[in-house]
Structure formats: structure tokens, C-alpha cells
Amino acid sequence: MSIWLFWSLFESLDKVGNFLFGLFHITELFKGAGFLLILTLLFIAGLLFSVSPIAWLYDFIIRQLMRFPFFKTVYSSINDIASLMSSDNKNKGQQTVLVHQANDSYVIGFIMSDDMPEPLANALPEGDWVPVLFPLSYQIAGVTTLVKREDLTLVDWSFEEAMRYNLTAGISTPKGKSDKNTKEETDILSDS
């Protein structure tokens, strides 16, 4: 599956690169030339954005675009999701929790913030309410629910591992867990 995914990505980027070569009437040089062109352009773009005048121009354009409400909403949302998923995210305050359901089941969620916006705090009944995100499997989407802190069971599990587990509907298990289960299953089988 992974090999197919990487090959498809390679083929797609190679086609885009060859299209760019075609704009300058350059025929396909060799298989992968388009892919190398795209990688080179991405590398150059990264270098340019690290140069002060271009970074300043980029920031200026973003500030101007942020004046438009629709762009501001979409851009801010995408930026927040990207920073949440970023490995160098400095705000690691997300806490993994379990929320008890009416049918004696539990849902995995994440306390995303300890701060409640004032309009919500004023509208809710008395209590210590926190926003809990319930991500949906195989989607970059979820439902944010306001839950009383006393109704949550804190779980000592890293945000990244719990999110991976949740987004894959439980298929992705933490490292070491599947090995432990295999050893326990072997012990049980050898005892019988």
C-alpha cells in the first residue's frame, strides 16, 4: 500500500513537472525529470521564504488578505490544524480523556483548552466546563463538545498516540502494545 502511494505521488509530481517543461517547449528528458524539477522548485521556494524581504512580503500579503472575513476564517482554521498536527507544536496541553456514554461505553476525546470563551461561560450552567474534541475516524474533522471536567476520566496517553489511534478507528495501536498482546496470547495458548 505504501509503495503504491509513493509511486502514485512520484507519478503525479512527475506529470506536473513535465507539464512545466512543456510550457518552455522542453520534451521529457528522462523518467523522473519532472519530479526532480518539482523538488528543486520546492527547495528554491523554501530558500526564498527564509530570506527576509520575501518573508516580509509574504507576511504583508497575508495581513492584507486577513482583512477579508471568509479568508480569515478559512486560513486561521487551516493554520490552527497545521500547528496542532505539527511535531514542533509547543502547546502540548491537550489531555486525552474518556467520556462515559449512556450505554456504558466510552468515547475517546481531547481537552483542547482550559480556557472557556466568555460568551460560552456565561451561557452555560454553573460548573467547570472544558471544550473536548471528539475526532472522527479517517477524517480531519471532529465534534467539539462542552463537558464538565468532573464527567471526564483522564488518561495517561500522549496526544499523538491517542489521536493516531482515534483517527484510524483503533487499527493503529501504540508501539509495544501489539507485541505484548502477542506474548500474552502465546502464554495463554501454551498453558492450555
Side-chain angles (χ1 to χ4, degrees):
M1 178 71 168
S2 297
I3 294 172
W4 175 83
L5 183 66
F6 286 122
W7 182 254
S8 298
L9 181 64
F10 170 80
E11 286 284 325
S12 299
L13 292 177
D14 192 43
K15 286 179 185 175
V16 171
N18 286 327
F19 172 75
L20 293 176
F21 277 135
L23 293 176
F24 295 101
H25 306 292
I26 300 173
T27 59
E28 184 175 344
L29 303 171
F30 56 89
K31 185 69 173 171
F35 178 76
L36 290 176
L37 175 66
I38 295 297
L39 288 181
T40 304
L41 291 174
L42 288 173
F43 179 74
I44 291 170
L47 285 178
L48 287 175
F49 278 98
S50 66
V51 177
S52 195
I54 294 178
W56 176 86
L57 179 63
Y58 173 77
D59 287 339
F60 175 77
I61 292 171
I62 292 297
R63 281 194 312 270
Q64 298 310 311
L65 289 173
M66 293 295 266
R67 293 181 177 189
F68 298 100
F70 179 75
F71 180 84
K72 183 176 182 178
T73 301
V74 172
Y75 179 80
S76 298
S77 299
I78 292 171
N79 198 25
D80 290 344
I81 289 172
S83 67
L84 176 66
M85 296 302 177
S86 171
S87 60
D88 62 344
N89 183 15
K90 302 294 186 271
N91 182 14
K92 296 292 184 184
Q94 296 86 11
Q95 173 67 51
T96 305
V97 295
L98 294 175
V99 180
H100 189 259
Q101 302 296 293
N103 62 354
D104 277 343
S105 64
Y106 289 87
V107 178
I108 301 171
F110 304 96
I111 298 175
M112 300 308 290
S113 170
D114 286 327
D115 300 326
M116 184 66 69
E118 190 175 333
L120 289 177
N122 293 339
L124 290 168
E126 206 53 42
D128 185 13
W129 295 86
V130 290
V132 176
L133 173 69
F134 299 103
L136 303 175
S137 300
Y138 294 102
Q139 297 181 38
I140 307 260
V143 177
T144 303
T145 307
L146 303 175
V147 182
K148 282 189 176 181
R149 193 180 297 271
E150 64 198 42
D151 295 334
L152 301 173
T153 302
L154 297 179
V155 180
D156 185 21
W157 197 9
S158 76
F159 175 77
E160 290 79 12
E161 284 185 2
M163 182 63 87
R164 186 177 309 115
Y165 179 83
N166 217 10
L167 290 177
T168 61
I171 293 174
S172 174
T173 57
K175 292 184 184 199
K177 178 70 174 163
S178 57
D179 297 340
K180 182 180 173 188
N181 285 347
T182 306
K183 183 178 179 341
E184 287 173 359
E185 290 167 4
T186 305
D187 291 344
I188 290 170
L189 289 174
S190 64
D191 288 342
S192 50

